[in-house]
Amino acid sequence: MSLTEIAVLLGLNLALILGVMLALWALALRLKDVSFIDAVWPLGMLLLALATLPRTDGDPIRRGLLVWLCAVWALRLGWHLFRRWRASGADGRYVELVERQEREKGWSFGKTALLFVFLPQAAFLWLTCLPVQLGQVAFAPTVGWLGWTGAVLAVVGIGFESIGDAQLSAFKKDPANKGKVLDTGLWRYTRHPNYFGDACVWWGLYLIAAETGPGVWAIVGPAFLTFTLTKWSGIGLTEKATHKSRPGYAEYVRRTSAFVPWPPKPAEPARAVAEDAPKPAKARSATPKAAPDTAARTAPRKRPATKSGANPPKKKPRRRNGGG
């Protein structure tokens, strides 16, 4: 495909996802809730991958890998997020966003939902899934070691994210865990295994696409997603709310990697020593302080005797007057 044809392809895909988001915005106006956008996010990427498939003539194996891996990831994650929305209702992050714009700018629910949720999500979604769009364009070369490495990474990411989500769902279902912090399983090694798995999927899809000339430029997709998850709306917003609801979360943050899985840090032994140290220190410091305090209290009693002994002539006249 020529550069013009690629530009037209991407432009039509962007128009398609914008149309879908406008329709969903109308649905949000009726529901007075935008939280379902999270479930739409992965499904929208699958939609663009499928829309690209019949309009390109790239290597069939590469196109199959990109579309099928995207489909497995999107259907699993989309269904998971849809069930969570149906069970939990409106997401507090979106509720706070809408209320803040209404309070500070006087915007209506509809205006805030359109300008802060649905239109930005359309652009971000289209940008993130560039690998499954540009990766289907070129016919040559065939899938090589880089592409198969990417396929393995994507599969690992899907599995990592799926296990992390399953562990978190099981943890939340147990009433005894209310207010507690999940620090077992994958959550022992990273505070956000679902985000890490998500990033692995799209970096894997990028490696599949990067073997082609047009696919190399799709790097902005996974790079933007990683930035979003680690620095913008992912970890930051999630942990801000969690710190307030779970008292032990600060200690969990101290010892656990935020994103890339890593063995947790051990508990700090210095804290236990510091707690016991003040008691013996105070007991030892009390002994030397007692001597000067006692001396200070007894000193005034000796001073009158010292002064009277220092002036014997004054005492002698008093005794003589008393004797007369």
Side-chain angles (χ1 to χ4, degrees), residues 10-32:
L10 295 178
L12 291 175
N13 283 353
L14 179 59
L16 172 62
I17 199 62
L18 282 172
V20 170
M21 289 297 179
L22 288 175
L24 294 173
W25 171 66
L27 175 62
L29 292 179
R30 299 189 62 180
L31 298 177
K32 290 298 180 182

Short mmCIF file of all heavy atoms in Angstrom, two decimals, residues 10-32:
data_model
loop_
_atom_site.label_atom_id
_atom_site.label_comp_id
_atom_site.label_asym_id
_atom_site.label_seq_id
_atom_site.Cartn_x
_atom_site.Cartn_y
_atom_site.Cartn_z
N LEU A 10 -6.11 4.66 7.91
CA LEU A 10 -6.10 5.12 9.29
C LEU A 10 -7.18 6.17 9.53
O LEU A 10 -7.81 6.20 10.60
CB LEU A 10 -4.73 5.68 9.65
CG LEU A 10 -3.57 4.68 9.65
CD1 LEU A 10 -2.26 5.39 9.98
CD2 LEU A 10 -3.82 3.54 10.62
N GLY A 11 -7.40 7.05 8.55
CA GLY A 11 -8.44 8.08 8.68
C GLY A 11 -9.83 7.47 8.78
O GLY A 11 -10.66 7.92 9.60
N LEU A 12 -10.10 6.46 7.98
CA LEU A 12 -11.40 5.80 8.03
C LEU A 12 -11.59 5.05 9.36
O LEU A 12 -12.70 5.03 9.92
CB LEU A 12 -11.54 4.83 6.86
CG LEU A 12 -11.66 5.48 5.47
CD1 LEU A 12 -11.66 4.41 4.38
CD2 LEU A 12 -12.92 6.34 5.38
N ASN A 13 -10.52 4.46 9.85
CA ASN A 13 -10.61 3.79 11.15
C ASN A 13 -10.90 4.78 12.27
O ASN A 13 -11.68 4.50 13.19
CB ASN A 13 -9.31 3.04 11.45
CG ASN A 13 -9.20 1.74 10.67
OD1 ASN A 13 -10.14 1.31 10.01
ND2 ASN A 13 -8.03 1.12 10.73
N LEU A 14 -10.27 5.94 12.19
CA LEU A 14 -10.52 6.96 13.20
C LEU A 14 -11.97 7.44 13.13
O LEU A 14 -12.63 7.62 14.17
CB LEU A 14 -9.57 8.14 13.01
CG LEU A 14 -9.72 9.31 13.98
CD1 LEU A 14 -9.52 8.84 15.43
CD2 LEU A 14 -8.73 10.42 13.65
N ALA A 15 -12.48 7.63 11.92
CA ALA A 15 -13.87 8.05 11.76
C ALA A 15 -14.83 6.98 12.29
O ALA A 15 -15.85 7.30 12.92
CB ALA A 15 -14.16 8.34 10.29
N LEU A 16 -14.47 5.72 12.08
CA LEU A 16 -15.31 4.62 12.57
C LEU A 16 -15.40 4.63 14.08
O LEU A 16 -16.51 4.55 14.65
CB LEU A 16 -14.74 3.29 12.08
CG LEU A 16 -15.39 2.02 12.65
CD1 LEU A 16 -16.86 1.95 12.26
CD2 LEU A 16 -14.63 0.77 12.18
N ILE A 17 -14.27 4.76 14.75
CA ILE A 17 -14.30 4.71 16.21
C ILE A 17 -14.94 5.97 16.78
O ILE A 17 -15.58 5.92 17.84
CB ILE A 17 -12.89 4.48 16.77
CG1 ILE A 17 -12.97 3.97 18.20
CG2 ILE A 17 -12.03 5.72 16.68
CD1 ILE A 17 -13.67 2.65 18.37
N LEU A 18 -14.80 7.10 16.12
CA LEU A 18 -15.49 8.32 16.57
C LEU A 18 -17.00 8.14 16.49
O LEU A 18 -17.73 8.56 17.39
CB LEU A 18 -15.05 9.51 15.73
CG LEU A 18 -13.69 10.12 16.06
CD1 LEU A 18 -13.30 11.17 15.02
CD2 LEU A 18 -13.71 10.75 17.45
N GLY A 19 -17.47 7.53 15.41
CA GLY A 19 -18.90 7.27 15.29
C GLY A 19 -19.42 6.35 16.38
O GLY A 19 -20.49 6.57 16.95
N VAL A 20 -18.63 5.32 16.70
CA VAL A 20 -19.02 4.40 17.77
C VAL A 20 -19.08 5.13 19.11
O VAL A 20 -20.03 4.95 19.90
CB VAL A 20 -18.03 3.22 17.85
CG1 VAL A 20 -18.28 2.39 19.10
CG2 VAL A 20 -18.13 2.36 16.60
N MET A 21 -18.11 6.00 19.37
CA MET A 21 -18.07 6.72 20.64
C MET A 21 -19.23 7.71 20.76
O MET A 21 -19.77 7.91 21.85
CB MET A 21 -16.74 7.45 20.80
CG MET A 21 -15.57 6.51 21.06
SD MET A 21 -15.78 5.59 22.62
CE MET A 21 -14.30 4.58 22.61
N LEU A 22 -19.62 8.32 19.67
CA LEU A 22 -20.77 9.23 19.72
C LEU A 22 -22.05 8.47 20.05
O LEU A 22 -22.90 8.96 20.80
CB LEU A 22 -20.91 9.97 18.39
CG LEU A 22 -19.84 11.03 18.11
CD1 LEU A 22 -20.02 11.60 16.70
CD2 LEU A 22 -19.91 12.15 19.16
N ALA A 23 -22.18 7.27 19.50
CA ALA A 23 -23.36 6.45 19.81
C ALA A 23 -23.36 6.04 21.28
O ALA A 23 -24.40 6.06 21.95
CB ALA A 23 -23.38 5.22 18.91
N LEU A 24 -22.19 5.70 21.79
CA LEU A 24 -22.09 5.33 23.20
C LEU A 24 -22.30 6.53 24.12
O LEU A 24 -22.79 6.38 25.24
CB LEU A 24 -20.72 4.69 23.47
CG LEU A 24 -20.48 3.34 22.78
CD1 LEU A 24 -19.05 2.89 22.98
CD2 LEU A 24 -21.46 2.29 23.29
N TRP A 25 -21.90 7.70 23.66
CA TRP A 25 -22.15 8.92 24.44
C TRP A 25 -23.65 9.14 24.61
O TRP A 25 -24.12 9.51 25.69
CB TRP A 25 -21.51 10.11 23.74
CG TRP A 25 -21.87 11.44 24.31
CD1 TRP A 25 -21.55 11.92 25.55
CD2 TRP A 25 -22.64 12.47 23.67
NE1 TRP A 25 -22.07 13.19 25.73
CE2 TRP A 25 -22.74 13.55 24.59
CE3 TRP A 25 -23.24 12.59 22.43
CZ2 TRP A 25 -23.42 14.72 24.28
CZ3 TRP A 25 -23.91 13.76 22.12
CH2 TRP A 25 -24.00 14.81 23.04
N ALA A 26 -24.41 8.90 23.54
CA ALA A 26 -25.86 9.02 23.64
C ALA A 26 -26.43 8.02 24.65
O ALA A 26 -27.36 8.34 25.40
CB ALA A 26 -26.49 8.81 22.26
N LEU A 27 -25.85 6.83 24.68
CA LEU A 27 -26.28 5.84 25.67
C LEU A 27 -25.94 6.30 27.09
O LEU A 27 -26.75 6.13 28.02
CB LEU A 27 -25.61 4.49 25.38
CG LEU A 27 -25.87 3.37 26.39
CD1 LEU A 27 -27.36 3.03 26.43
CD2 LEU A 27 -25.04 2.13 26.02
N ALA A 28 -24.77 6.90 27.26
CA ALA A 28 -24.36 7.38 28.58
C ALA A 28 -25.29 8.48 29.08
O ALA A 28 -25.54 8.60 30.28
CB ALA A 28 -22.92 7.89 28.53
N LEU A 29 -25.82 9.29 28.18
CA LEU A 29 -26.76 10.34 28.59
C LEU A 29 -28.02 9.75 29.19
O LEU A 29 -28.60 10.31 30.13
CB LEU A 29 -27.12 11.21 27.38
CG LEU A 29 -26.00 12.08 26.80
CD1 LEU A 29 -26.50 12.86 25.59
CD2 LEU A 29 -25.45 13.03 27.86
N ARG A 30 -28.44 8.62 28.70
CA ARG A 30 -29.63 7.98 29.24
C ARG A 30 -29.32 7.28 30.56
O ARG A 30 -30.14 7.28 31.48
CB ARG A 30 -30.17 6.96 28.23
CG ARG A 30 -30.60 7.58 26.90
CD ARG A 30 -31.32 6.58 26.04
NE ARG A 30 -32.55 6.12 26.68
CZ ARG A 30 -33.40 5.24 26.15
NH1 ARG A 30 -33.15 4.72 24.94
NH2 ARG A 30 -34.48 4.89 26.80
N LEU A 31 -28.12 6.68 30.66
CA LEU A 31 -27.76 5.96 31.88
C LEU A 31 -27.24 6.87 32.98
O LEU A 31 -27.19 6.47 34.15
CB LEU A 31 -26.69 4.92 31.56
CG LEU A 31 -27.05 3.81 30.57
CD1 LEU A 31 -25.85 2.92 30.31
CD2 LEU A 31 -28.22 2.98 31.08
N LYS A 32 -26.82 8.09 32.60
CA LYS A 32 -26.16 9.00 33.53
C LYS A 32 -24.92 8.34 34.16
O LYS A 32 -24.61 8.52 35.33
CB LYS A 32 -27.12 9.44 34.65
CG LYS A 32 -28.23 10.36 34.16
CD LYS A 32 -27.65 11.66 33.61
CE LYS A 32 -28.75 12.58 33.11
NZ LYS A 32 -28.20 13.84 32.53
#
